[in-house]
Structure formats: C-alpha cells, structure tokens
Amino acid sequence: MTQDSPYPWREEGATPFIKIEGLSKRFGSFTAVDDVSLDIFKGELFGLLGGSGCGKTTLLRMLAGFETPTSGSIFIDGADMTHVPPYERPVNMMFQSYALFPHMSVEKNIAYGLKRDGVNRSEISDRVAEMLKMVELSEFGRRKPSQLSGGQRQRVALARALVKRPKVLLLDEPLAALDKRLREQTQFELMNIQDQLGVTFVVVTHDQEEAMTLSTRIAVMDAGRFIQIGEPAEIYENPASSFIANFIGSANLLPAKILERHGGVAVLEHSGSKRQFKVATDSTQVGDTPTLAIRPEKILIDKAPLNQCDNQLQGTVREVAYLGKISTYRVETDIGEIIEVTAPNQVRPTGVGHKIDWDDSVHLGWNADSAVLLAE
Amino acid sequence: MTGKRSRFLLTMLCFGMAFLYIPIILMMIYSFNYSKLVPVWGGFSTRWYTTLFQSEEVWAATSLSLKIAVMNATFAVMLGTLAGLALARIHRFRGRTLFTGMISAPLVMPEVITGLSLLLLFITLNQMIGWPASRGITTITIAHITFSMAYVAIIIQSRLAGTGQDLEEAALDLGAKPFRVLWDITLPQLAPGMVAGWLLSFTLSLDDLVIASFVTGPGATTLPMLIYSRIRLGLRPDINALATIIILVVTIGVLLAGWIMLRQQKQLANRQ
Ligand SMILES: Nc1ncnc2c1ncn2[C@@H]1O[C@H](COP(=O)(O)OP(=O)(O)OP(=O)(O)O)[C@@H](O)[C@H]1O
Ligand SMILES: [Mg+2]
C-alpha cells in the first residue's frame, strides 16, 4: 500500500490522511485564510511556515475546531470534520501559551483528557505515568504548573496533548518560548516522539530553520494562501519565487534576460551590466526576463582567480561577519551589485594575509547548476 | 523626584488621611466613654456595649441586616457571575456594548433614584400581580441584589478579560463538553473573584441606608435605619458603640475582599 512509503506525497493517487479543500476564513471583510487546499499524509510532520499575520494560527484553529470555516471543508481519516465541535475531533492541540490548568497538578493536567473519555482509573494512572516518563518529568507529577520552568511546562503541554493518542497533533509555535539549546533538544525529542507514536503532526512556526529541521514537508504561507508546498530541500533548492528564496534562507537576486539556450543550459545577460552568465534551466525561453537567484553558500570566494567555475566575478570585500563556523562576506562586484557569500572557516584565520578581510579584492565563482531562475 | 516635592506630597497625604479617619477614630474612642453626654469624657468603660447587647431592637435590626446581607451576597454572586461570564465570553452578541454599559449603570446611579424607581416597581407589581404583598425583607433584598450584582459582574468580567480563552479551549480540545469546561476550568479560576464579590456585596448591603429606606415596609428596620432614626433624637453613646462594631465588620470584609483580589492578581501575573 502507498501508506507504507516514507514519501507518500511523491506517489500518484496516495490517500491523504488530512484533506483540506478550498478552505477560507473571513473575519468581517478581512480574509485570514484564502481558499487553501492541502493534503497531509499519515505520519507526516507537516510544517506551516510564514510571516506574522499570514493566517497560520487561524488555519490550525480551524483544524482543531475552534474556528468555523467561512467556506471549504476538512476531512480527517476519511471523515468530514468541518462542523464537528473540538471535543469530538480526533485531534489535539498544543497551545502556544501551553494553556496548562493552573489549579491542577501536572498529573491531573495530563489525566484530564483521559478522564473526559471515561477511561478507567488504573489505565489513566498507567498512561499518565508512561507519558511523564517519556517527557522525563516523572518526579514532577505532584507539582503545580506554576512550580515548573518554561521548558518543563512545555513538556507537560506536549504530554497532555499526546496522552489521548490523537490521530493528529497540532502544535502552534511549540518551541517559540525556549532558548536555542533547549529548542534544538526539543526538536529532536519531537521528531523521536513522532517516530515512536506515528501520530501525524502539523507544526506552525515562523522560524524557517526550525521548519527545515523538523518537517517532512513545508507549506509556505503568505497573506492567507499557500505559495509553495514541498519537502524542505525542494523549497530551499527550488524556491517558487524570490519571496520564498529570501524567506527561506537568503539569496542573491540578479535581474536578467535570456539570450540563448543550448539544451539544459541558457546564457543570460545581467540587466544592469550586460555581463553574461550561464545557468542550468529546462523551462525558460529566449527573451524571458527571469531573476537569477544564487544562494550565498553556493558561491566560491578566493583571492586567486577561480577559473574552474562557469561564472566568475571580481570585487572588493565591503563587510565581513565572522560567525564561528562560517563567515559571511558582502562583496561589491564589477557588475555593480553587492553579492553576499558565505564560506566555511576551515582554516583558523591566524596568519596575516591568509584570510579574506575588509577591502581585499577577491574573485567569486559559481557553476551553471548552482543558481536557479525565478519567474517572479 | 526631589525631596521637597515628596515631602509636600506626604504632608498632603497625611492631611487627607486625617480628614477621612479622625472622625471615625474619635467616634470609636467615644464609644468607650463612660459619660452619657457624648462630647464629655467620663473615663473608660464598655457599658454602652453592654446596653447595646441588651436592647432587643438592636438584636432584631442586626439579625434582619445580616439575613439580608447574606441572601443578597449569595444571589448577587450567582447572577453577577453569569452576567460577567456572558459579557466576557460570548462573542459579539447583539447589543453587547449596551449591555456592558447598562450593567455598570447601577454603580453610578444616585441611590435616591435607584431607591425611588425600585419602590415604584414594587408598587406597580403589587397592583398588577399582587406580589410583593407587603414590603420588607424581600423587597430590600431584591433591591440590594440589583446593585450588588453589578459589582460582582464587573469583578468577574475584568478577571476573565485578562485571561484569554486558552484554558477553556484546551479543555474543549481534550474532550470536555462546554458545560464541563465551565465547571472544571472557568469556575475554579473565578472562585477568588466570586469570594471577593460575595464579601463586597455583603458589606454593601450592610451599609445601605438610602435604598433600604425607600423599599422597606412597616416593621422591617435594618441596622443603618435604626442608627439613623436614633441619631435624630440626639447623639447617643450606644450608637457610637454600634457604629464601631459595624465599622469593624465592614473593614474586615473589605480587607478580605481586597486581599483575595490581590492574591488572584499575583497568581495571574505568575502564570504569564
Ligand atoms: N478573531 C479574529 N478577528 C479578526 N481578525 C482576526 C482574528 N483572528 C485573527 N485575525 C486576523 O487574521 C490574520 C491571521 O491571523 P493568524 O493569527 O492566523 O496569524 P499567524 O500567521 O498565526 O501570525 P503569527 O505568526 O503572528 O502568530 C491576522 O491579520 C489577524 O489580525
Ligand atoms: Mg500565530
């Protein structure tokens, strides 16, 4: 069955687990979610990524049942959930604020959902203990949420949402309140849990790095619509627009015009300087005016000429940002554009004259297949 | 802030406080005065307290006032909590702004007008449906509930407005039906507010003279009414004693209510 494939979305005709069809939500005259359709498959860890106010939370709240869609429908595991109230959905949500019940102990918080389902007492205590163990809070069961640290509260919230073994777990910026180290640790924990339990996760985030680390697939949202859906690498390497290229990572964007095309390689002309570059492409026509996008880490930088590269530029370093494992250089080039380049710091920059520094003149180079063309 | 200015402010504060509290303190001191003439100090004594406890009239008025205060506080908390919940939690129902305004109107309405309008209401009702047959404890209680409830509603509403709906939504999400959510999540959160509202309603009712005078009938004399009628016959030391006791009870009530509200505010701050 297609369900067993680790990449069901790559398969034609696979049955989606969550099916969102033409879903819209309007608040008065304002459209927060605008006619989105999406298939999410069983066991996915699906990332919803987008800037502030683009409608991520609203979409999630519609999945949880807190918000009634203005139009469209939601199916989960084949059942129409569009008008089912939240307490009857096989869906649990972990709130951005954690929303732990302050007057109940950690144990009671986790047990609450099971009690409402009428699970018998001994099973409740077993499952609560099991959950506490999983989030490594076994000694904290008797405490009140106010007696826990931020990271511990967050783990309680996760345990509470998972204990009912929902078909779908919704997470709204689950890690936003944590520091970087704890966040990375929790990201891995989340991925482990998802692996163990096989629950389908939908995770909202506006941190693109987090989305890339966690997700099997990402949907990028803007102004209530999906502008690209795909696997992290696909979105990073083949962004659909310059907005996405800059939103996910950063990119050097050069306006250009296609002059000629031989097979998979086109020759184009930079609009400003009329300098010609080669780029791998299979869809553009001669005469098109796309944007050439090159990721900073795909450009080589050296003091010596880089003759092995398909495309070369010369320039002067205007800024250097030393970030430890990599450095970022902003180079003023001979085509009149500032190009950003990142390079790993493989050698400790001790010897004077060895490392690249402010005002050094440098050569930049990249190959035809390192850059992509964006239609807009 | 400069030293001079803060000293000035401090002086003003002392003056204000003195103006407020010296009369009360004087009254309390004179309630222990042996002399029958109020302004003449005749040595320390508790004889007026004894006199007070021997007076049947005082006992009757006290018990009436307490009955009214307890009933008032209980009903006001129930109704006020419901009103506060509706105001804070029901989304944009028609006329919500009007309702919000109306609920706080009794707080600013002159008591004389509230009293008069309630009296008219009771008279009209009596003529139309024969109820209330006579005015007394029932009518006073109803009148007190009308304004106490407004205080409770506002306490509850402000408490809820500050919290957002996350907790309730989390409970819904975990499978609790809306009524269950109200019982398990919303009411426990509101408990301190409800206790504070009860105490406040209790003291408001115990205090009230004007509205009670309007809507009372023959034979129903509350404590404030008793004091007022006796004072009109001249200052009397036993009234000082009675007033001292009332002040004590009211102060304890208000302090307790304030303390509970303060504690709940701190809890709220801790949660964020
Ligand atoms: N109840 C509401 N009434 C009116 N407008 C709303 C309501 N809820 C959300 N909106 C609007 O809908 C838009 C999308 O909101 P949403 O909370 O989904 O954004 P988001 O993508 O989660 O943003 P963030 O990353 O800041 O959390 C916003 O412009 C917001 O102002
Ligand atoms: Mg949001």
Side-chain angles (χ1 to χ4, degrees), chain B residues 98-110 114 146-147 150-151 154:
Chain B
L98 185 71
F99 196 56
T100 312
M102 277 169 66
I103 201 102
S104 44
L107 309 187
V108 289
M109 192 86 81
T114 311
T146 55
F147 70 85
Y151 283 91
I154 283 166

Side-chain angles (χ1 to χ4, degrees), chain A residues 12-38:
Chain A
E12 202 67 41
T15 326
F17 192 66
I18 304 174
K19 191 162 183 62
I20 298 171
E21 277 175 342
L23 201 64
S24 295
K25 178 71 193 180
R26 274 186 283 282
F27 296 108
S29 62
F30 177 80
T31 309
V33 172
D34 190 3
D35 190 26
V36 303
S37 297
L38 175 67

Side-chain angles (χ1 to χ4, degrees), chain A residues 51-58 60-61 96 172-173 204 206:
Chain A
S52 191
C54 70
K56 306 179 296 289
T57 300
T58 308
L60 214 63
R61 289 171 57 80
Q96 189 167 354
D172 194 356
E173 311 214 9
V204 162
H206 58 223

Side-chain angles (χ1 to χ4, degrees), chain A residues 2 31 35 68 138 161 212 216 231 252-253 281 291 294 342 351:
Chain A
T2 44
T31 309
D35 190 26
T68 321
S138 296
M212 303 273 292
T216 51
E231 290 172 36
N252 296 295
L253 301 172
T281 172
T291 302
I294 324 158
T342 58

Side-chain angles (χ1 to χ4, degrees), chain B residues 3-271:
Chain B
K4 240 184 198 162
R5 198 166 146 211
S6 74
R7 206 172 310 147
F8 171 73
L9 286 177
L10 210 65
T11 320
M12 292 307 285
L13 184 71
C14 289
F15 264 119
M17 286 294 185
F19 192 67
L20 275 175
Y21 287 105
I22 284 181
I24 295 177
I25 292 168
L26 273 179
M27 190 200 69
M28 288 173 139
I29 293 172
Y30 274 104
S31 75
F32 294 102
N33 185 3
Y34 182 82
S35 163
K36 203 176 163 85
L37 299 167
V38 169
V40 183
W41 184 252
F44 180 84
S45 143
T46 53
R47 67 183 265 209
W48 301 117
Y49 287 87
T50 321
T51 322
L52 203 60
F53 289 121
Q54 282 161 353
S55 153
E56 234 162 76
E57 226 184 345
V58 170
W59 276 116
T62 309
S63 100
L64 180 70
S65 269
L66 286 179
K67 267 186 217 156
I68 292 174
V70 167
M71 279 195 299
N72 161 60
T74 309
F75 280 102
V77 164
M78 291 196 291
L79 295 174
T81 303
L82 287 180
L85 268 171
L87 285 180
R89 279 297 184 257
I90 302 178
H91 292 286
R92 286 183 269 158
F93 61 89
R94 273 178 83 101
R96 180 181 160 163
T97 322
L98 185 71
F99 196 56
T100 312
M102 277 169 66
I103 201 102
S104 44
L107 309 187
V108 289
M109 192 86 81
E111 284 182 318
V112 182
I113 293 178
T114 311
L116 186 62
S117 58
L118 282 165
L119 176 61
L120 288 175
L121 173 79
F122 291 136
I123 291 173
T124 318
L125 274 180
N126 186 342
Q127 278 167 359
M128 280 169 64
I129 58 170
W131 182 92
S134 68
R135 292 191 296 281
I137 180 165
T138 319
T139 47
I140 299 176
T141 310
I142 292 175
H144 282 183
I145 291 172
T146 55
F147 70 85
S148 302
M149 179 191 137
Y151 283 91
V152 178
I154 283 166
I155 293 177
I156 296 292
Q157 187 201 3
S158 63
R159 160 81 185 184
L160 282 173
T163 58
Q165 257 163 291
D166 277 13
L167 293 183
E168 278 117 332
E169 286 183 347
L172 278 176
D173 188 60
L174 291 167
K177 302 220 164 68
F179 188 73
R180 194 76 224 196
V181 175
L182 183 71
W183 191 252
D184 284 352
I185 309 298
T186 317
L187 287 182
Q189 269 183 279
L190 292 181
M194 286 162 72
V195 175
W198 195 93
L199 288 168
L200 204 62
S201 305
F202 181 85
T203 43
L204 282 172
S205 165
L206 212 57
D207 265 357
D208 172 64
L209 169 65
V210 178
I211 295 176
S213 307
F214 270 99
V215 299
T216 189
T221 308
T222 64
L223 214 47
M225 282 155 69
L226 180 80
I227 296 174
Y228 188 66
S229 64
R230 285 198 180 178
I231 285 295
R232 279 195 301 192
L233 306 173
L235 290 174
R236 288 173 47 168
D238 58 340
I239 292 301
N240 284 348
L242 186 56
T244 305
I245 294 175
I246 293 179
I247 285 174
L248 220 65
V249 172
V250 169
T251 310
I252 291 173
V254 171
L255 283 182
L256 219 57
W259 179 70
I260 289 169
M261 283 197 280
L262 203 73
R263 214 181 50 162
Q264 95 179 41
Q265 247 164 30
K266 268 193 201 142
Q267 269 174 5
L268 219 64
N270 275 346
R271 263 189 56 214

